[in-house]
Amino acid sequence: MEFASILKELRKSHGLSQMALAKQTGISQSAIAKWELGKTEPTATSLIYLAKFFNESVDYLLGLQS
């Protein structure tokens, strides 16, 4: 699984819209949308922040572990 699908799945499993995730993380909704569409990739800093927010590892977010 790739980052785009993992992020979307995590967001939905937490009952969050893209806008709600944006508000809670301080990441723009447009960045989240682009990541979920696979148009852009997050920075290392954003990956770490998302990993902490979702209580997952960066490896998991990147699809390197199940």
Side-chain angles (χ1 to χ4, degrees):
M1 208 188 267
E2 63 182 40
F3 172 75
S5 0
I6 292 169
L7 176 60
K8 188 173 186 175
E9 194 174 283
L10 271 174
R11 177 180 60 76
K12 287 185 171 189
S13 73
H14 283 77
L16 298 168
S17 65
Q18 288 180 351
M19 186 55 75
L21 179 59
K23 285 181 182 177
Q24 290 189 32
T25 61
I27 297 169
S28 72
Q29 185 272 329
S30 63
I32 293 167
K34 287 176 185 174
W35 294 342
E36 288 186 1
L37 291 171
K39 292 187 177 210
T40 61
E41 296 291 328
T43 63
T45 302
S46 295
L47 276 173
I48 292 166
Y49 194 83
L50 288 169
K52 288 180 180 178
F53 179 82
F54 287 116
N55 197 30
E56 296 287 353
S57 69
V58 171
D59 282 354
Y60 177 79
L61 289 177
L62 293 175
L64 300 175
Q65 79 181 46
S66 51

